[in-house]
Amino acid sequence: MPPVSNPSEGDTRYDRDFQRLESFSRSLKQKWRISVAELAFILSFALNFAIGKLLHLYSDQSEVYNYYNDKNNIFNQYFVKKGWAWTTMVIIFFYAVVVLRRKNEPSQRVLITAIARYFAATLWWTLFTQWCFGLPIMDRVFVYTGGRCVVPDGKHWAHLFEEVDGMFHSQKVSSFACRALRGSWEGGHDPLGHVFLLVHSSLYLFFEIKPFWRGWSQFRRNIERLRGPNFPAKLVDTLNTTPQIAAVILMALWWFMLLMTNMYFHLIAEKLVGLLFGYAAIGVVYILPRWL
């Protein structure tokens, strides 16, 4: 007959474990200026890389190569490629609800600082993926490591392209311009703007909504209110009371699409560089000020 455990022993063990967790949380905040929830979310992207690689290695080929392996799938075409626009729409909606609900001086200060952080995050997105006094950072990394744009016919852009073995090469045009010219982006190390965007957008949304988060229990209760008749009216009411829902849905989509990228596309080194650049601005905007 198995020994009967003493309930008080279980309670004591639970109390000890809980105390250790509280001690770890306090130490993390004091030494590194970061909470357990923030650290967990930041590290979830590294976990995403590991899961994607394992799924690619150990899944059947029919499961690995499917709809999401097609770059023209609807999520990639209409969401990921317009990722910062979707992120902007969600954060505008979020703060519009927050400010309209509060209508006082503190809410105005909240909005001003939120706008400043948005412009900082947008500036980093622009510099990395769009323009940085010429080529964006991701294209500069590619070019500096030996990359180039190759097109079959570059005679009309002789000031940009050099003819080599019947093909036209250039290190002066961006990846966007290269695609527009129907060229190929060859050689070099690609720091993956795709990965950067998904990580950067997710972390930005997370750190923006976290100060207004009231816990999963309240979030779940507000979601459960959608059940029953008159769904449109309930949805509007729920979004007005819990605008975090839109951000959580978008972050979940970004995390899922990052997993698809990790399963199907590019080299690990390229994805890791994109990940590090995605971390960079968020660390400067949200973590570094806590040390200063």
Side-chain angles (χ1 to χ4, degrees), residues 41 45 197-206 251 254-255:
F41 191 73
F45 297 101
L197 170 66
L198 296 174
V199 174
H200 180 65
S201 298
S202 298
L203 288 170
Y204 167 71
L205 288 174
F206 174 82
M251 285 189 291
W254 291 162
W255 206 91

Side-chain angles (χ1 to χ4, degrees), residues 57-114:
L57 290 175
Y58 297 105
S59 297
D60 293 335
Q61 293 299 299
S62 59
E63 296 176 4
V64 171
Y65 295 99
N66 53 39
Y67 176 74
Y68 300 103
N69 190 43
D70 183 358
K71 291 184 178 181
N72 294 318
N73 71 72
I74 189 171
F75 297 105
N76 192 56
Q77 288 294 315
Y78 296 102
F79 287 93
V80 175
K81 287 190 175 182
K82 306 179 188 302
W84 196 248
W86 284 104
T87 300
T88 298
M89 289 170 57
V90 166
I91 207 65
I92 288 174
F93 167 75
F94 175 78
Y95 276 110
V97 173
V98 168
V99 171
L100 287 174
R101 285 174 59 191
R102 298 174 72 170
K103 292 183 179 178
N104 53 27
E105 186 178 347
S107 70
Q108 294 177 8
R109 291 199 296 269
V110 165
L111 185 59
I112 290 171
T113 55

Side-chain angles (χ1 to χ4, degrees), residues 18-31:
F18 186 75
Q19 289 172 3
R20 291 193 187 100
L21 182 61
E22 281 191 322
S23 176
F24 173 72
S25 178
R26 286 195 300 269
S27 175
L28 203 61
K29 287 182 178 179
Q30 292 171 0
K31 293 181 65 175

Side-chain angles (χ1 to χ4, degrees), residues 34-194:
I34 191 170
S35 70
V36 173
E38 291 168 344
L39 180 63
F41 191 73
I42 290 170
L43 294 180
S44 74
F45 297 101
L47 178 63
N48 189 304
F49 275 60
I51 294 173
K53 187 63 177 176
L54 289 173
L55 289 174
H56 183 86
L57 290 175
Y58 297 105
S59 297
D60 293 335
Q61 293 299 299
S62 59
E63 296 176 4
V64 171
Y65 295 99
N66 53 39
Y67 176 74
Y68 300 103
N69 190 43
D70 183 358
K71 291 184 178 181
N72 294 318
N73 71 72
I74 189 171
F75 297 105
N76 192 56
Q77 288 294 315
Y78 296 102
F79 287 93
V80 175
K81 287 190 175 182
K82 306 179 188 302
W84 196 248
W86 284 104
T87 300
T88 298
M89 289 170 57
V90 166
I91 207 65
I92 288 174
F93 167 75
F94 175 78
Y95 276 110
V97 173
V98 168
V99 171
L100 287 174
R101 285 174 59 191
R102 298 174 72 170
K103 292 183 179 178
N104 53 27
E105 186 178 347
S107 70
Q108 294 177 8
R109 291 199 296 269
V110 165
L111 185 59
I112 290 171
T113 55
I115 291 173
R117 289 192 300 268
Y118 170 77
F119 276 112
T122 302
L123 175 63
W124 183 235
W125 169 78
T126 301
L127 292 173
F128 188 78
T129 65
Q130 305 297 310
W131 176 86
C132 182
F133 305 96
L135 295 179
I137 293 174
M138 66 177 189
D139 290 350
R140 289 180 182 273
V141 172
F142 190 84
V143 168
Y144 291 159
T145 54
R148 61 200 179 278
C149 175
V150 180
V151 298
D153 183 9
K155 293 179 181 178
H156 298 293
W157 302 277
H159 61 294
L160 296 175
F161 286 86
E162 177 184 356
E163 186 174 2
V164 180
D165 297 330
M167 298 295 288
F168 292 84
H169 298 235
S170 176
Q171 292 186 320
K172 299 178 181 179
V173 299
S174 67
S175 54
F176 178 81
C178 188
R179 288 192 299 270
L181 295 172
R182 298 185 179 180
S184 58
W185 203 232
E186 299 180 4
H189 181 91
D190 187 358
L192 285 191
H194 190 96

